[in-house]
Amino acid sequence: SYNTCAFASIKGFIGDGDYVLTTLGLYRWGAVRCIDGLCETAAQCISYQPHYVQGKQDLRTARIAGGLSQMFGFFSLVPLCVSMCFKVRRRLWVFVTCMSLLASFFIGLCLMFKRHCDSIVETRLESEASQCKLEGGAVMAIVSSSMWLGIAICSAWLAKKRG
């Protein structure tokens, strides 16, 4: 779907009010071309070519951080599910707190992707009107990071209560 490649976008102006909006994701990109008020969207997002990713540290860091956040999030959700059926001890709540904090931190690191987007604007687009801005994927990352932080705070409170 179109949302999988909408972490950030670059709007490059190509004429009198005409522009190309390129959306960038961690693994895919897409394009929308608007000429004379008529916008044409690409049918699907396109995967990055392997040679494109080489040397792009910000993109690689964001990808690794995204994978680590999913892993730590999974490691905190499993004990949370167990805690609904069984009474758990303080150590498990401390573990959930740590894993949730790590998930929140690594999701936040995904926002380094904007630096990759900014570097594209600086190096490839000559127009001063070109700009890079965060899209829906980045907003979801911010909300998700806040959610994991809230889970960490609640589990820390439960750990203190059990201790």
Side-chain angles (χ1 to χ4, degrees):
S1 91
Y2 180 74
N3 290 330
T4 61
C5 59
F7 200 88
S9 66
I10 301 171
K11 188 174 191 176
F13 294 93
I14 55 176
D16 297 328
D18 300 336
Y19 62 91
V20 174
L21 180 68
T22 304
T23 58
L24 304 170
L26 295 181
Y27 295 93
R28 297 169 185 244
W29 65 278
V32 177
R33 184 176 60 199
C34 295
I35 298 175
D36 295 330
L38 299 172
C39 295
E40 187 179 304
T41 305
Q44 62 186 19
C45 297
I46 303 162
S47 296
Y48 293 118
Q49 297 297 321
H51 69 275
Y52 177 79
V53 178
Q54 293 174 351
K56 309 277 192 294
Q57 268 322 103
D58 295 328
L59 177 60
R60 292 180 62 189
T61 301
R63 283 180 168 187
I64 292 169
L68 288 173
S69 70
Q70 289 178 351
M71 182 183 73
F72 289 126
F74 175 77
F75 286 152
S76 70
L77 281 180
V78 170
L80 282 174
C81 292
V82 170
S83 72
M84 293 181 180
C85 301
F86 303 103
K87 188 173 181 176
V88 295
R89 296 180 184 229
R90 180 177 188 259
R91 287 185 191 192
L92 188 64
W93 289 115
V94 171
F95 176 77
V96 169
T97 300
C98 292
M99 292 296 110
S100 299
L101 284 173
L102 286 170
S104 178
F105 173 73
F106 283 110
I107 288 175
L109 283 181
C110 283
L111 296 175
M112 288 183 67
F113 182 76
K114 183 158 182 335
R115 289 177 53 195
H116 169 67
C117 182
D118 290 334
S119 70
I120 292 173
V121 170
E122 289 174 9
T123 58
R124 294 199 181 160
L125 299 174
E126 301 296 325
S127 171
E128 292 180 18
S130 297
Q131 54 189 327
C132 179
K133 70 175 204 166
L134 295 176
E135 291 291 332
V139 172
M140 287 190 289
I142 293 167
V143 169
S144 179
S145 182
S146 302
M147 179 198 74
W148 283 115
L149 185 61
I151 290 172
I153 291 169
C154 290
S155 60
W157 177 76
L158 286 170
K160 185 178 179 183
K161 185 178 172 183
R162 301 272 178 186

